[in-house]
């Protein structure tokens, strides 16, 4: 019995188990498992965890990207609408000017009431065409801003995906060494006997 107790004390004082631990995944190597085998085993676990994390990340960004896509679509429609209105305004301006000039010529150089009215109308259409051109510029600026915001959001998503890939890279991860010391309460000697050979 005394020797049995001494043996337990010796185990407690001298024996220990050293294992490897992955800080990223929280997994620990099995007793006797080599670092290479541990990395191979972790690669499958890491792949599943990474895929799940990327899926969750895409779901998180999904509504934001959809909103940005809708904003870009509306901005493109506004640019097309403003361009059409500007084109129509230019055509109307050209017709008004041509009518005014023709009216002045036909009026033999005298500014009749109708010619003056026509000239005033032409001046107003020039002002409208200028405003329509400015509206096109603003619509194009809004479109560029929406495209830039969308690109930045997509870039942010790609950077986070790359960060996840690095986080779950088991081939280059630096493992921590964990030393497990036994507890006396966990040491069980099932048989202790004295043997001799004759």
């Amino acid at each position: 019995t005394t020797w049995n107790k001494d043996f337990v004390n010796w185990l407690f004082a001298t024996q220990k188990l050293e294992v490897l631990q992955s800080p990223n995944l929280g997994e620990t190597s099995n007793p006797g498992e080599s670092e290479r085998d541990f990395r191979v085993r972790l690669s499958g676990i890491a792949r599943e965890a990474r895929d799940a994390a990327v899926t969750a990340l895409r779901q998180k960004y999904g509504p934001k990207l959809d909103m940005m896509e809708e904003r870009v679509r509306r901005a493109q429609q506004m640019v097309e609408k403003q361009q059409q209105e500007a084109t129509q305004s230019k055509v109307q301006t050209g017709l008004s000017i041509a009518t005014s000039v023709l009216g002045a010529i036909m009026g033999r150089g005298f500014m009749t009431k109708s010619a003056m009215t026509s000239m005033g109308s032409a001046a107003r259409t020039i002002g409208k065409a200028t405003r329509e051109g400015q509206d096109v510029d603003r619509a194009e600026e809004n479109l560029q801003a929406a495209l830039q915001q969308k690109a930045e959001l997509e870039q942010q998503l790609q950077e986070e995906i790359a960060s996840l890939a690095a986080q779950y890279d088991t081939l280059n991860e630096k493992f921590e060494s964990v030393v497990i010391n036994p507890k006396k309460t966990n040491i069980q000697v099932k048989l202790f006997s004295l043997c001799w050979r004759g």
Side-chain angles (χ1 to χ4, degrees):
T1 301
T2 302
W3 286 356
N4 186 78
K5 289 180 180 178
D6 289 345
F7 179 58
V8 169
N9 290 334
W10 177 81
L11 289 172
F12 174 74
T14 63
Q15 300 304 299
K16 62 183 179 180
L17 178 64
E18 189 171 346
V19 294
L20 299 173
Q21 188 173 55
S22 164
N24 291 340
L25 296 173
E27 295 285 331
T28 304
S29 65
N30 295 321
E33 186 177 27
S34 68
E35 180 177 335
R36 179 184 171 280
D37 292 341
F38 182 44
R39 287 189 188 277
V40 170
R41 182 166 63 85
L42 277 185
S43 63
I45 299 171
R47 189 166 41 253
E48 291 177 6
R50 183 196 62 223
D51 291 347
V54 168
T55 299
L57 193 61
R58 289 190 184 279
Q59 289 174 348
K60 172 187 168 186
Y61 274 85
K64 295 179 183 178
L65 286 171
D66 290 343
M67 184 180 69
M68 291 307 305
E69 188 67 37
E70 178 62 20
R71 189 178 296 174
V72 168
R73 187 186 66 79
R74 287 199 308 266
Q76 287 172 334
Q77 287 179 339
M78 183 58 69
V79 167
E80 292 170 4
K81 178 185 175 186
Q82 294 297 338
Q83 285 175 339
Q84 288 175 355
E85 290 178 358
T87 301
Q88 290 173 357
S89 184
K90 286 177 183 176
V91 170
Q92 289 175 354
T93 300
L95 289 174
S96 294
I97 293 172
T99 302
S100 300
V101 171
L102 188 59
I105 292 173
M106 296 301 287
R108 304 185 186 279
F110 296 103
M111 293 302 288
T112 62
K113 185 177 180 181
S114 62
M116 292 180 67
T117 303
S118 182
M119 290 294 281
S121 177
R124 284 193 298 274
T125 56
I126 290 172
K128 183 180 178 185
T130 303
R131 289 192 299 274
E132 293 292 348
Q134 292 172 347
D135 289 344
V136 171
D137 292 341
R138 280 193 294 271
E140 288 178 344
E141 287 173 4
N142 290 338
L143 175 59
Q144 291 304 317
L147 288 170
Q148 179 67 24
Q149 289 174 345
K150 182 187 173 191
E152 288 173 359
L153 190 62
E154 289 173 341
Q155 177 67 24
Q156 186 178 346
L157 172 60
Q158 292 306 316
E159 287 175 358
E160 291 195 32
I161 289 175
S163 176
L164 284 175
Q167 180 181 344
Y168 292 106
D169 179 14
T170 58
L171 294 178
N172 298 311
E173 182 183 6
K174 186 174 181 181
F175 295 143
E176 295 176 353
S177 180
V178 178
V179 176
I180 302 173
N181 293 310
K183 295 180 180 179
K184 281 190 178 181
T185 55
N186 291 337
I187 298 176
Q188 295 179 355
V189 180
K190 294 185 177 181
L191 174 64
F192 189 89
S193 62
L194 178 63
C195 302
W196 68 90
R197 187 170 60 181

